[in-house]
Amino acid sequence: MTDSGPLVGRGRKSPSKKKETAGGLEEEALSAGHPERALLVSLDLGRAAAADSVEELALLASSAGLTVCGTILGKRARPDPATFLGSGKVLEVAEQARSSDAGLVILNHDLSPAQERNLERALQRRVIDRTSLILDIFAQRARSHEGKLQVELAQLERLATRLVRGWTHLERQKGGIGLRGPGETQLETDRRLLAKRVKTLKERLEKVRRSHRTQRQARGKTDVLRVSLVGYTNAGKSTLFNRLTHANAYTADQLFATLDTTSRRLYLGPGATVVLSDTVGFVRHLPHTLVAAFRATLEETRDADLLVHVVDCSDPEREEQIEAVNGVLEEIGADTVPQLLVYNKADRLPGAQAGMERDAYGTISRIRASALTGAGVELIRQAFLEACQAARQVSGQTEPSDKQTNHPDGTE
């Protein structure tokens, strides 16, 4: 797709200033400031954990490859209908944007198309919201064909509400020889073409979902335990995945380093085989368009036999992050899948040691570990082994029904 949407990560260019085109159509251009320098703006609307949300926004901006040159905070009882910020705060943002040479203003809130256009006109700078920033990061990270399809679908569905973006000629009817008749405006044409592309993407993703469903059904017939790693972004899921499977999945100290699901088979002993999947990380207020678009990927989580919920135990906001992850799991219908809580990054806590807790039924429910150092990883393997044994007891199996090749590192 073309970069005509509200994203910032691809094709960042500073268009020329407002000018008249050859056809007499007036184009709005935003060229002030450096396009890679971002000014963050957040209002306290009485929502809990507002300060932590601002820190996360700064991490998101850095993950998108931007340089954060300042943060403006404010407090309002309710958003301003026209600009979200209010006239006084808009003047403050404009002044700091000029002094810091910021070419991009990022709001830590969801903006309506009208609010976005009004702010861009007032600030003479590009303005995006939190959802657009997350979409941009996903667009940069997607590597597989499936991931790119899902990102494009999310982009187009968001773009459908932002087609006008101040271009008044889109509302005019097409004229001239061969163009008269139906009276279709350029805006209507764009909407029709966009709807057609969205339909095509949904059909392709439905084929992907059917293929995944067939693969999962095949795995379900081989008495293999299906385990998915879930958790807040940057909690260390991919590092733990690599530690358990000796794989080489991409890891980085940044948000949304992993988008595409990676699966490996893990052999724990006779009759105890696990298919472990590393999935996309979650974040507070994950855009619903992304959740819907990535349903084909997230269904891997919903159909798992066990979820390993990886938590960064060194993060002071870990309880809020657990709640955010559980909220997304509920949204995709995975809230009923059994969970194993793994408190990762124990090496960052002074005096913390690897350990585990069992629930009232004797099942391992919590593990403290460090994927980086390997401490506590054997406890996770033990939890997998016990889960396999419990599954065999439930299905009435006493002997392993599949033959696996035993490798020294426990993988296939």
Side-chain angles (χ1 to χ4, degrees):
M1 62 173 287
T2 59
D3 292 326
S4 58
L7 302 182
V8 298
R10 298 177 296 154
R12 297 189 190 105
K13 295 180 181 179
S14 296
S16 57
K17 291 187 177 181
K18 196 170 187 180
K19 60 182 181 180
E20 292 287 324
T21 63
L25 301 179
E26 191 178 74
E27 298 180 358
E28 275 195 77
L30 307 167
S31 60
H34 194 286
E36 303 287 340
R37 293 175 61 82
L39 178 63
L40 310 184
V41 182
S42 181
L43 295 184
D44 182 358
L45 302 173
R47 191 178 63 189
D52 302 305
S53 181
V54 175
E55 293 180 7
E56 188 171 87
L57 182 68
L59 290 174
L60 287 169
S62 298
S63 295
L66 298 167
T67 300
V68 177
C69 58
T71 302
I72 293 180
L73 303 177
K75 190 171 184 178
R76 285 182 66 94
R78 62 184 63 86
D80 179 71
T83 63
F84 195 93
L85 302 177
S87 56
K89 187 61 67 175
V90 168
L91 292 176
E92 180 184 348
V93 172
E95 177 60 31
Q96 186 161 338
R98 282 193 295 269
S99 62
S100 61
D101 194 33
L104 181 68
V105 176
I106 306 176
L107 266 73
N108 192 27
H109 312 274
D110 283 333
L111 298 175
S112 69
Q115 288 170 336
E116 188 175 306
R117 290 196 299 273
N118 292 338
L119 282 172
E120 287 185 342
R121 288 169 182 158
L123 301 175
Q124 285 300 298
R125 281 163 174 77
R126 198 67 196 282
V127 175
I128 64 172
D129 58 14
R130 181 187 176 90
T131 297
S132 295
L133 180 60
I134 294 176
L135 278 170
D136 178 52
I137 297 172
F138 271 57
Q140 294 182 48
R141 301 281 194 274
R143 294 291 179 266
S144 69
H145 175 65
E146 175 190 346
K148 291 176 181 178
L149 285 178
Q150 293 175 124
V151 169
E152 184 180 356
L153 176 59
Q155 289 176 331
L156 290 180
E157 289 186 329
R158 180 169 176 79
L159 181 61
T161 64
R162 287 166 157 75
L163 274 180
V164 180
R165 291 190 57 81
W167 293 75
T168 55
H169 71 282
L170 292 179
E171 297 177 348
R172 301 177 186 176
Q173 290 188 357
K174 294 180 292 186
I177 302 298
L179 294 177
R180 297 188 182 95
E184 186 179 60
T185 66
Q186 182 63 49
L187 181 59
E188 290 168 341
T189 301
D190 289 348
R191 283 176 175 161
R192 175 169 50 81
L193 294 176
L194 189 145
K196 183 178 179 180
R197 178 61 178 168
V198 166
K199 181 181 178 182
T200 300
L201 289 173
K202 287 183 176 180
E203 290 173 350
R204 291 182 181 178
L205 283 173
E206 182 57 34
K207 292 181 180 178
V208 171
R209 293 177 64 183
R210 287 198 298 265
S211 175
H212 285 187
R213 194 178 303 119
T214 302
Q215 294 172 4
R216 287 192 295 268
Q217 289 173 351
R219 287 199 297 263
K221 296 177 181 179
T222 59
D223 305 320
V224 173
L225 190 74
R226 296 165 296 180
V227 179
S228 288
L229 297 177
V230 299
Y232 210 76
T233 183
N234 206 28
K237 296 184 302 300
S238 296
T239 303
L240 180 60
F241 178 82
N242 289 339
R243 174 69 68 174
L244 287 167
T245 64
H246 303 279
N248 192 30
Y250 177 71
T251 61
D253 186 16
Q254 60 185 15
L255 304 187
F256 300 117
T258 302
L259 282 191
D260 301 315
T261 299
T262 305
S263 298
R264 292 290 186 274
R265 188 169 292 223
L266 182 62
Y267 182 74
L268 301 172
T273 303
V274 169
V275 171
L276 186 64
S277 299
D278 182 22
T279 59
V280 61
F282 301 147
V283 72
R284 290 187 189 96
H285 314 300
L286 190 66
H288 293 290
T289 51
L290 273 180
V291 175
F294 272 74
R295 191 164 297 277
T297 295
L298 296 175
E299 280 183 351
E300 189 80 28
T301 298
R302 188 189 65 189
D303 295 336
D305 300 308
L306 176 67
L307 299 181
V308 177
H309 188 162
V310 184
V311 181
D312 181 358
C313 66
S314 65
D315 195 312
E317 299 301 319
R318 55 186 176 272
E319 295 302 326
E320 288 78 5
Q321 293 176 359
I322 291 174
E323 184 178 346
V325 171
N326 287 335
V328 177
L329 292 177
E330 182 178 1
E331 186 174 350
I332 64 175
D335 52 320
T336 59
V337 180
Q339 280 193 30
L340 168 65
L341 273 175
V342 173
Y343 288 94
N344 190 31
K345 303 187 182 181
D347 55 289
R348 296 187 177 184
L349 296 179
Q353 296 181 347
M356 68 177 183
E357 298 178 14
R358 294 183 181 271
D359 59 20
Y361 302 97
T363 303
I364 298 177
S365 58
R366 298 176 181 232
I367 293 177
R368 188 167 55 251
S370 171
L372 185 64
T373 65
V377 172
E378 284 306 315
L379 297 176
I380 300 175
R381 286 175 173 268
Q382 180 183 339
F384 290 170
L385 181 59
E386 292 184 8
C388 288
Q389 293 170 346
R392 282 164 49 198
Q393 290 176 359
V394 170
S395 61
Q397 297 177 358
T398 56
E399 296 293 335
S401 59
D402 58 336
K403 295 181 180 180
Q404 305 292 344
T405 303
N406 191 351
H407 292 271
D409 62 359
T411 61
E412 294 187 319

